[in-house]
Amino acid sequence: MPPRFRPFLGRRAALAGSAALLAPLLAPGARAQQPAWPSQPLRLVVTFAPGGSTDLIARLAAKGLQERLGQPVIVENRPGAGGTLATNFVAQSAPDGHTMLLSTSTVMAISPALYRNVGYHPMRDFAHVALLTTQPLVFVANKGFPGRTLQDVVRLSQEARDGLDMASSASGSLNHMLIVRFAELTGAKLTHVAFRGAGPAMTAVVGGTVPMMSDSLPSAAAPIRQGSVRAIAISAEARSPTFPDVPTFREQGVDLVTIGWFGIAVPAATPGPVQQRLNRELRAVMAEPEVRARLAESDSQAGDLSVEAFTQMVGEHCAMWPPVVRASGASAD
């Protein structure tokens, strides 16, 4: 079991002090001259360029939050340095609840081990207020690949003199780490082949340049449906409703569950009442039938965790992935 995260006392004290200061502003009957939160437009900072599933999730959350809070919620894309530029920007923003980060498993749990000086601490510098979505990863293979199961992958990799190549969207990505962890658990001889994005990697697999790939299920869904590639296993607790014929890793004897996730984080000193309000409103947004339907189209599942439960989940991921990153030898420096 991964270690459970223990809150930093300094962060807890800061939150308590901030909450005491802001409580009069959020309480019913607060004096008219004291502006209630939110008192101005909010920013949702995204670590990637516009387009793709990340942007879809951000805009769904922003739209629903804007309707519920009565203030504009502006999606601001700040790509660069594997998402660390945007993450540092939010960490250094005013802790007043008006600047939020669309956080991911990569920028919080992997990047701090991937970069020599990432510039932020995922737990000390942020409050993790809401889980928006989760999505499993999937191993896919070229149609001509002779294996059908994970056991076949292990056997073929051990029989081949140079092992098997397996692609991912980038060195140090969550997809890359899944390959490393799978090899650790099974003894498979796999050589990671990093591409600049999931699209080029998938093209290489479809074309037969690389036999296999680790990808997010939303990214790989269209090629799987089209029959361009064959799905071998998904990394979720249970099978996907969209692809019920694809078994999980655990069903094939590999005790491995890995999810990518998207959440909302704010600067650590953001007052507790604001964090709780954001959590309530975002959980309500993600529970809306139309939002769940849109997420289902991209093979993502809506999240529904309290601030405390999501904080614990992020802490556990932050403890789990750095050793895998170190074992992979990946580095962004």
Side-chain angles (χ1 to χ4, degrees), residues 211-267:
M212 296 185 64
M213 176 183 179
S214 172
D215 200 3
S216 71
L217 186 57
S219 173
I224 295 172
R225 290 191 186 99
Q226 294 162 1
S228 303
V229 294
R230 184 171 62 253
I232 291 178
I234 64 168
S235 66
E237 292 272 5
R239 296 193 182 200
S240 165
T242 311
F243 298 101
D245 295 333
V246 182
T248 66
F249 279 74
R250 278 182 171 170
E251 286 181 282
Q252 299 184 64
V254 182
D255 189 12
L256 181 56
V257 175
T258 298
I259 58 167
W261 53 261
F262 296 87
I264 295 294
V266 293

Side-chain angles (χ1 to χ4, degrees), residues 116-141:
R116 187 176 297 113
N117 183 17
V118 75
Y120 59 86
H121 190 286
M123 304 309 297
R124 282 198 297 263
D125 294 334
F126 290 97
H128 301 281
V129 299
L131 173 65
L132 298 182
T133 69
T134 61
Q135 48 188 229
L137 278 58
V138 61
F139 278 2
V140 299

